[in-house]
Amino acid sequence: MRLLRALHDPADDERAVATPGTTLSRHDLLGRAAALAAELRGVPMAAVHAVPGAPTVVAVTAGLLAGVPIVPVPPDAGDVERAHILRDSGAAVMLSDDPEAAGQSGLPVVPVSGPGRGTVPAEPDAGAPALVLYTSGTTGAPKGVVLSRRAIAAGLDALAEAWQWTAGDTLVHGLPLYHVHGLVLGVLGALRTGSRLVHTGRPTPQAYAQAGGSLYFGVPTVWSRVCAASQEARALRGARLLVSGSAPLPVPVFDDLAALTGHAPVERYGMTETLITVSARADGERRAGHVGLPVAGVETRLAGDSGEPLTADGATIGQLEVRGATLFDGYLRPDGTAAAPLTADGWFRTGDVATIGADGWHRIVGRASTDLIKTGGYRVGAGEVEDALLAHPAVREAAVIGTPHPDLGEQVTAFVVADGRPDPGELAAFVAARLAAHKRPRVVRLVAELPRNAMGKVQKARLKA
């Protein structure tokens, strides 16, 4: 079966992709991509200058048609990051309409936009690599994650079922086109389900309000800004589903979004290596601070520090492990320094810590390296403390980490962006009144902003430093 099956439907030539300044029907997109695919014949790996627009959609589609693995390169990547991705991946060409990309990449540049139309090649093998996506590199140099066509299809079909995502939807987002969220879900998902795609260029509240979609994707920063623009937020009442991912959605933002739009957002969880594995359902309950249940074809479990199985009781915090059809094929060039990503019985160690309730609902505590704080013999999840801080009327943002303490091992330390200058002791007491005493921050630091990456995730390693 074709990966981008909706793209090949001759009975449906409606608008497929709309980006600022460009609208493509399925017929146009298929023709342009097929012509570019012919130029890629024999290329082992192709990089794409992943600007937020139609050229990236055409280039990625062409690679998938040709069976050539695609490496998306962030358009704002620094020289060192770009050079590492291109060298490590072994990309032979750069697909781009930007003349400056030639000098930046050092590779032969193949223009994306051309007048020709080509013959659609035969569908590549389902097990063939489709994408090589580079991780954020929080534990060293970014690693290339190899995703097969089969894994992408399984992941998108599971989400289509969970979110009741159909060809009748119009998907709206303005996310970067070099990550799972914006590219795999936000572009390939539309070309597989047949839904229309409106990419807004930037994910502003105004652009979202004007798009008239039924299905919206955003990261917590996007939804926080939507909530701050109440008129634009209310314009989303006509939508069917609002989906949040890539980072935990703060409970106050969940509540505000539900109140303003009439839609409690669907949260989901995944990684580059696993695609989306856990999600709330379109026709089911949504719980603030929780990401839902495993999607079709995925299993999850909790393990202790020594790999022992842990109880799914909603309170026990453990390392989250997953297995299923959505897992990656491996790293392009394993460095041999990190712990093996797979257990002996085939489960992927996510590196995240979570709780799983008796009813199967998952709550992600965060990364084991930064969000599980071991203090005085207790295990404290940073997210729970952050949610408590965000309930304070003066607190706009909060990030909690463990820092060294001579007696406790680690102490709970909070970095807070707040209106005015609330007393740090008052904030610690505010948490202590809501959570167990050992979970209160012993140190509260008021800061002007929190360091974030392009997807809105707080970079806690920088806070630790």
Side-chain angles (χ1 to χ4, degrees):
M1 179 178 288
R2 294 187 183 274
L3 174 58
L4 307 181
R5 58 191 177 205
L7 187 60
H8 302 268
D9 185 355
D12 188 353
D13 192 33
E14 303 239 1
R15 178 190 62 165
V17 177
T19 64
T22 304
T23 299
L24 296 173
S25 70
R26 291 191 175 87
H27 181 72
D28 289 338
L29 175 56
L30 184 59
R32 293 188 191 189
L36 182 56
E39 296 188 52
L40 295 178
R41 190 174 294 115
V43 172
M45 185 93 66
V48 170
H49 186 221
V51 294
T56 297
V57 177
V58 173
V60 173
T61 302
L64 294 174
L65 291 179
V68 174
I70 289 294
V71 183
V73 180
D76 59 350
D79 293 343
V80 172
E81 180 185 7
R82 184 186 306 107
H84 169 75
I85 292 174
L86 296 176
R87 181 179 61 252
D88 186 77
S89 68
V93 297
M94 171 69 80
L95 307 183
S96 177
D97 283 338
D98 184 352
E100 293 187 7
Q104 293 173 344
S105 71
L107 297 175
V109 175
V110 177
V112 173
S113 299
R117 292 185 178 275
T119 301
V120 178
E123 183 77 1
D125 182 78
L131 299 173
V132 178
L133 302 182
Y134 275 77
T135 62
S136 58
T138 55
T139 57
K143 296 193 289 291
V145 174
V146 182
L147 294 169
S148 71
R149 304 171 72 89
R150 181 182 292 114
I152 292 172
L156 293 176
D157 289 349
L159 292 181
E161 178 186 51
W163 299 343
Q164 300 179 351
W165 185 2
T166 72
D169 280 307
T170 294
L171 168 63
V172 177
H173 75 89
L175 301 173
L177 299 184
Y178 48 87
H179 288 304
V180 166
H181 198 167
L183 178 58
V184 178
L185 277 60
V187 173
L188 305 188
L191 297 180
R192 185 164 177 84
T193 63
S195 67
R196 295 178 178 87
L197 168 63
V198 177
H199 192 282
T200 59
R202 297 181 61 226
T204 65
Q206 295 74 24
Y208 274 33
Q210 294 168 7
S214 61
L215 177 61
Y216 286 80
F217 291 169
V219 299
T221 301
V222 170
W223 295 125
S224 177
R225 291 172 181 172
V226 166
C227 290
S230 58
Q231 181 176 341
E232 285 76 8
R234 293 188 180 95
L236 302 185
R237 284 183 170 269
R240 183 178 66 79
L241 207 65
L242 310 181
V243 179
S244 183
S246 297
L249 185 67
V251 171
V253 178
F254 180 104
D255 292 339
D256 288 347
L257 197 59
L260 288 166
T261 69
H263 301 288
V266 161
E267 294 189 68
R268 87 300 184 281
Y269 164 81
M271 300 178 64
T272 306
E273 292 92 338
T274 67
L275 300 179
I276 306 307
T277 54
V278 180
S279 179
R281 273 30 179 196
D283 59 354
E285 182 183 3
R286 294 96 186 261
R287 299 180 190 174
H290 293 72
V291 293
L293 303 160
V295 300
V298 171
E299 299 174 90
T300 63
R301 70 182 185 187
L302 293 180
D305 293 341
S306 301
E308 72 277 12
L310 297 180
T311 303
D313 58 8
T316 300
I317 297 175
Q319 307 255 0
L320 183 63
E321 298 178 349
V322 304
R323 70 177 177 186
T326 66
L327 262 63
F328 73 139
D329 286 348
Y331 295 111
L332 187 64
R333 306 185 194 284
D335 58 19
T337 61
L342 291 178
T343 65
D345 52 350
W347 292 74
F348 178 77
R349 299 184 178 103
T350 66
D352 286 325
V353 286
T355 66
I356 302 176
D359 58 1
W361 271 74
H362 290 54
R363 179 173 66 86
I364 305 299
V365 173
R367 297 299 290 170
S369 57
T370 56
D371 293 306
L372 180 61
I373 304 168
K374 299 177 181 178
T375 177
Y378 294 101
R379 296 159 67 92
V380 177
E384 186 179 17
V385 183
E386 290 163 357
D387 284 341
L389 283 165
L390 288 166
H392 190 284
V395 174
R396 290 191 286 117
E397 298 180 70
V400 171
I401 62 173
T403 57
H405 188 276
D407 179 45
L408 300 173
E410 287 185 306
Q411 63 184 353
V412 179
T413 300
F415 294 78
V416 172
V417 179
D419 296 320
R421 292 195 62 83
D423 178 70
E426 176 202 343
L427 294 178
F430 184 83
V431 174
R434 286 155 177 78
L435 303 177
H438 65 269
K439 297 180 181 180
R440 76 185 188 283
R442 289 179 171 264
V443 176
V444 176
R445 297 181 180 176
L446 300 178
V447 295
E449 61 181 9
L450 299 176
R452 296 181 182 273
N453 64 15
M455 295 301 288
K457 293 182 181 179
V458 176
Q459 296 176 300
K460 291 192 174 182
R462 290 176 59 184
L463 294 178
K464 282 182 172 288

